[in-house]
Amino acid sequence: IAGNILINLDLNSYQLNTIKGLFTGHLFSDGQLHSFPVLQYFPIFILGIFLGKFLFYNKDKKVRIRLSVIFFFISTLVTFISAILFKLTASNLFYPLPNEGRFPPSIGFIGLSLSITFIAYIIILLLDKNLFNVPKKILIFFGSHAAEYFLLHLLALFTLKYFTTAATNPNGIRLE
């Protein structure tokens, strides 16, 4: 919530606003710069640390499913409450869909994303023994090399940006 409130604060300095943008996201008059602000995503980071530690120490499948179902219901409840609050207030702080709620992330968008993640995790846990070996090996391969794919993805995006933008045309070229 703090990130979505502080995003509108103007510090009257490009450098200070850039630093503030790392924590709250960026807002500009011509639209929003896509960023992943620390304040809005910090709860996801903490949840990931908690779940990682929990999964490391708890190998019992039933306990994993039970905890995932609890988190699924909590995140789904947050999403529904955010959707209702958005209808009542029309504030982007609660917008659950990716169009307006993603950059900077709203409470509803984070709740929706977590709901989808937990339901997918629950399905994978339930189908674990029935997953075919090839898709299972592919999922394990991608999961164990996530950092490399993240870096390759960033490299591809920045390379594309380099070749499609210029100082005279900062919005890029249209590939029609």
Side-chain angles (χ1 to χ4, degrees):
I1 295 174
N4 283 325
I5 293 170
L6 294 174
I7 194 169
N8 295 314
L9 179 67
D10 185 11
L11 300 177
N12 294 323
S13 165
Y14 177 76
Q15 289 82 7
L16 291 176
N17 281 332
T18 300
I19 293 170
K20 178 196 69 144
L22 294 173
F23 293 95
T24 64
H26 299 277
L27 262 181
F28 297 101
S29 59
D30 62 344
Q32 297 177 349
L33 174 68
H34 294 182
S35 60
F36 299 93
V38 172
L39 289 176
Q40 284 94 329
Y41 282 111
F42 188 71
I44 305 300
F45 176 71
I46 294 297
L47 181 63
I49 289 175
F50 169 74
L51 284 176
K53 183 177 179 184
F54 176 82
L55 295 175
F56 183 77
Y57 289 110
N58 293 292
K59 304 295 181 190
D60 185 17
K61 191 174 180 179
K62 289 181 182 180
V63 175
R64 288 178 173 207
I65 291 174
R66 188 178 316 125
L67 183 72
S68 298
V69 167
I70 290 169
F71 277 124
F72 169 72
F73 281 120
I74 291 170
S75 58
T76 303
L77 182 65
V78 166
T79 304
F80 282 123
I81 291 172
S82 294
I84 292 167
L85 288 172
F86 177 74
K87 285 285 188 188
L88 295 174
T89 64
S91 170
N92 283 347
L93 176 65
F94 304 112
Y95 194 75
L97 298 178
N99 300 358
E100 297 294 327
R102 186 168 181 196
F103 296 108
S106 67
I107 295 170
F109 176 75
I110 290 175
L112 179 65
S113 300
L114 285 174
S115 297
I116 294 168
T117 302
F118 282 118
I119 198 67
Y121 182 65
I122 292 166
I123 290 170
I124 288 173
L125 281 176
L126 293 174
L127 296 178
D128 184 39
K129 296 221 181 214
N130 298 325
L131 278 177
F132 299 111
N133 278 339
V134 173
K136 189 174 181 178
K137 287 180 182 179
I138 291 171
L139 289 174
I140 290 171
F141 177 79
F142 282 124
S144 61
H145 295 88
E148 291 91 344
Y149 285 110
F150 173 71
L151 292 174
L152 285 173
H153 182 251
L154 283 179
L155 179 66
L157 287 175
F158 283 114
T159 303
L160 181 66
K161 180 174 174 45
Y162 175 78
F163 286 115
T164 60
T165 60
T168 56
N169 189 11
N171 293 327
I173 60 170
R174 290 184 177 238
L175 301 173
E176 295 178 10

